[in-house]
Amino acid sequence: MPEAILKAKQEFGDNVILLESKEISPGRTKNKQGLVEITVSIDERTPPTRPWSPPVVSSHSAQATGGKSEQKAGNDFNKVISDILARKPKEISQEKKILDELSELRQEIKQLNQGKEEQSNQVFPEAYRRILDHMKEKGLGEEIAEMVIKRAYQFAEKGPEATDKEIIRACKNEMRYLFKPFDLSSGISLNGPRIILLVGATGVGKTTMAMKLAAHPKIFGKKEVAIVSTDPYGPSEALKAFSKMNGTTILEKKRLDELQEVLEKLNKYDVVLVDTPGQSPFASHYFSKMEEYVKILNPTDIFLVISMSNDLKDLFLSSAFFLLLKPNGIVLTKFDETKQAGKVFPIIKELNLPVAAMSEGKRIFIDILPGNVNFVIERIFERG
Ligand SMILES: Nc1nc2c(ncn2[C@@H]2O[C@H](COP(=O)(O)OP(=O)(O)OP(=O)(O)O)[C@@H](O)[C@H]2O)c(=O)[nH]1
Ligand SMILES: [Mg+2]
């Protein structure tokens, strides 16, 4: 790998960004030597004096053993998204244009990669293929399921002779490696309360999650917590009932200009959960409004709440907009409403965010836990 990176740097300069790496086993190369293939991206933008324009992304592929280096388009969606976020162009429409362009670019790259994958796709023993199909059915998606099974094949001690149990154990290890938990105990603010803003599409479970986070003894149940309800229709009946039962303070702020004054009263709380109103992220003015929330509150954390029962494609489209708010964690709800718990992995990969909490039901005091890969693995392999 270092040799491959060095070669790429020699060919394309020091600023190459590593996008992808693959090991090609000795059995699959002509000279029976193991190969490492890396895909790197180079930035072809001219210096920053130029007026802002959408990024030009191009990539090159190089092989470490000196075979013909082959050029192909490549991209790291998350990297490019975060570059855009860092630049933060003023007009949302301009941002949307870039996201559309990126999405097209990404599609092209995927097609190119698929062609290549088909050529190099090794035929796995029957047991591996069965488990691969199972993981696809459980929502991991082709790309991640294949990556997991390939690595399981490499690492399972008995290789082609491995039993189902051994293959599954190797797959679980790979999944543990792919999952990113968010450490909720970190980020305690020393000056004033920790402010957590919950954002997400309509009905995904933001309000319910605010109550669950406030109540759970291993999350914020033992802290002084306030929930700020910003719903234009006022706090829901469920929120009012919860407040009575749990003693959690509910502050009602329907208008943005009221938020500023409420901020001054928050010092006595350890944690303030701000529940935002549900609205389609595609609705006009939604983002300028959300940006105002962020500016006024200056939250410690922004959690994007995602319902596991959503279709992945819709979810990624709407998440692209929410990413503009720079969330630092995701909360996954409604695990009880999907048979594809493995969707967690494409979600984590695409959004590149750790999982702060997960829920699988409506019960406030019970159906919640911090981000936990074993909970997901159990739903992929051990139920039904
Ligand atoms: N089955 C299931 N239902 C859930 C879960 N979390 C929330 N719900 C339900 O989903 C519905 C919507 O939840 P809310 O918390 O009101 O969602 P919201 O995102 O605040 O909705 P808006 O404010 O309207 O955008 C309610 O009926 C909740 O009880 C979950 O993990 N599983
Ligand atoms: Mg709500």
Side-chain angles (χ1 to χ4, degrees):
M1 179 73 71
E3 202 188 324
I5 293 172
L6 183 67
K7 273 184 188 267
K9 284 190 175 180
Q10 281 167 344
E11 200 162 336
F12 305 114
D14 271 350
N15 292 334
V16 294
I17 298 161
L18 181 63
L19 297 184
E20 198 187 354
S21 65
K22 275 185 193 161
E23 282 174 30
I24 304 170
S25 60
R28 294 175 48 224
T29 61
K30 274 188 194 151
N31 59 5
K32 302 292 171 208
Q33 257 193 328
L35 290 181
V36 172
E37 183 190 283
I38 61 167
T39 304
V40 297
S41 146
I42 58 167
D43 191 347
E44 289 179 346
R45 273 172 295 150
T46 46
T49 45
R50 230 177 70 171
W52 185 90
S53 63
V56 179
V57 181
S58 82
S59 76
H60 303 265
S61 169
Q63 287 194 343
T65 52
K68 261 192 197 168
S69 79
E70 161 203 46
Q71 283 203 345
K72 75 174 174 83
N75 180 23
D76 180 345
F77 190 55
N78 296 321
K79 168 81 180 60
V80 182
I81 286 273
S82 58
D83 282 351
I84 295 171
L85 294 177
R87 271 199 298 277
K88 206 96 179 65
K90 290 191 178 53
E91 300 295 323
I92 290 288
S93 60
Q94 203 175 14
E95 287 170 346
K96 181 170 175 345
K97 199 175 137 214
I98 305 159
L99 288 170
D100 287 346
E101 280 179 17
L102 280 173
S103 152
E104 273 171 34
L105 181 62
R106 195 154 177 277
Q107 201 52 39
E108 281 171 27
I109 293 155
K110 205 168 167 198
Q111 277 161 9
L112 279 171
N113 278 337
Q114 263 170 4
K116 216 172 151 216
E117 280 293 311
E118 274 158 24
Q119 281 169 19
S120 70
N121 222 353
Q122 63 195 86
V123 180
F124 291 109
E126 210 263 317
Y128 283 87
R129 271 183 284 138
R130 226 174 337 101
I131 292 166
L132 171 65
D133 288 344
H134 176 79
M135 290 193 292
K136 283 184 191 166
E137 231 168 75
K138 289 290 178 182
L140 273 89
E142 299 244 326
E143 200 184 322
I144 295 181
E146 278 174 18
M147 198 246 291
V148 168
I149 206 76
K150 275 181 193 166
R151 292 186 65 86
Y153 188 57
Q154 277 174 346
F155 289 109
E157 260 177 45
K158 294 190 198 143
E161 313 297 308
T163 62
D164 282 14
K165 218 172 163 188
E166 287 160 341
I167 301 168
I168 289 172
R169 195 186 311 134
C171 290
K172 285 180 181 178
N173 282 342
E174 281 310 308
M175 289 177 189
R176 289 196 178 94
Y177 176 73
L178 295 175
F179 190 87
K180 294 183 198 165
F182 182 102
D183 181 8
L184 276 169
S185 63
S186 71
I188 300 297
S189 173
L190 295 177
N191 323 313
R194 176 181 186 174
I195 299 180
I196 300 177
L197 186 66
L198 296 172
V199 298
T202 321
V204 289
K206 298 178 291 297
T207 309
T208 312
M209 187 47 78
M211 294 187 268
K212 287 175 173 177
L213 291 170
H216 195 286
K218 286 195 181 145
I219 303 182
F220 302 130
K222 292 186 178 146
K223 301 201 175 295
E224 276 300 316
V225 183
I227 297 178
V228 179
S229 166
T230 57
D231 199 306
Y233 299 107
S236 65
E237 288 307 312
L239 203 47
K240 287 183 204 159
F242 170 74
S243 169
K244 273 194 202 142
M245 207 187 312
N246 200 50
T248 305
T249 311
I250 309 291
L251 300 162
E252 180 184 346
K253 290 298 141 206
K254 291 183 189 166
R255 296 195 323 268
L256 269 171
D257 58 344
E258 292 176 317
L259 265 183
Q260 188 66 53
E261 75 194 49
V262 85
L263 265 181
E264 286 143 29
K265 298 179 196 154
L266 295 178
N267 265 337
K268 60 179 168 177
Y269 300 101
D270 301 317
V271 180
V272 175
L273 296 157
V274 183
D275 178 29
T276 57
Q279 203 175 351
S280 159
F282 306 115
S284 59
H285 305 309
Y286 178 74
F287 267 91
S288 43
K289 195 171 164 195
M290 281 296 141
E291 278 191 319
E292 280 303 307
Y293 277 105
V294 176
K295 269 188 216 152
I296 297 172
L297 293 165
N298 190 18
T300 329
D301 302 284
I302 301 179
F303 291 160
L304 172 56
V305 184
I306 290 170
S307 163
M308 288 297 296
S309 60
N310 273 1
D311 166 72
L312 270 190
K313 200 170 164 192
D314 274 340
L315 194 153
F316 289 146
L317 283 173
S318 69
S319 296
F321 284 88
F322 285 113
L323 286 184
L324 297 169
L325 296 171
K326 300 192 185 179
N328 59 335
I330 44 177
V331 167
L332 301 170
T333 62
K334 308 196 185 184
F335 269 90
D336 54 318
E337 291 189 8
T338 181
K339 291 278 173 212
Q340 300 177 71
K343 283 196 275 188
V344 168
F345 295 103
I347 293 174
I348 293 178
K349 181 166 181 272
E350 291 297 321
L351 306 188
N352 196 17
L353 286 170
V355 183
M358 312 195 290
S359 80
E360 62 158 351
K362 290 164 167 255
R363 294 168 305 176
I364 304 294
F365 296 92
I366 298 169
D367 298 324
I368 174 172
L369 75 163
N372 182 323
V373 68
N374 291 330
F375 173 89
V376 180
I377 287 176
E378 197 185 306
R379 269 143 201 82
I380 295 171
F381 287 116
E382 276 141 46
R383 289 205 168 177

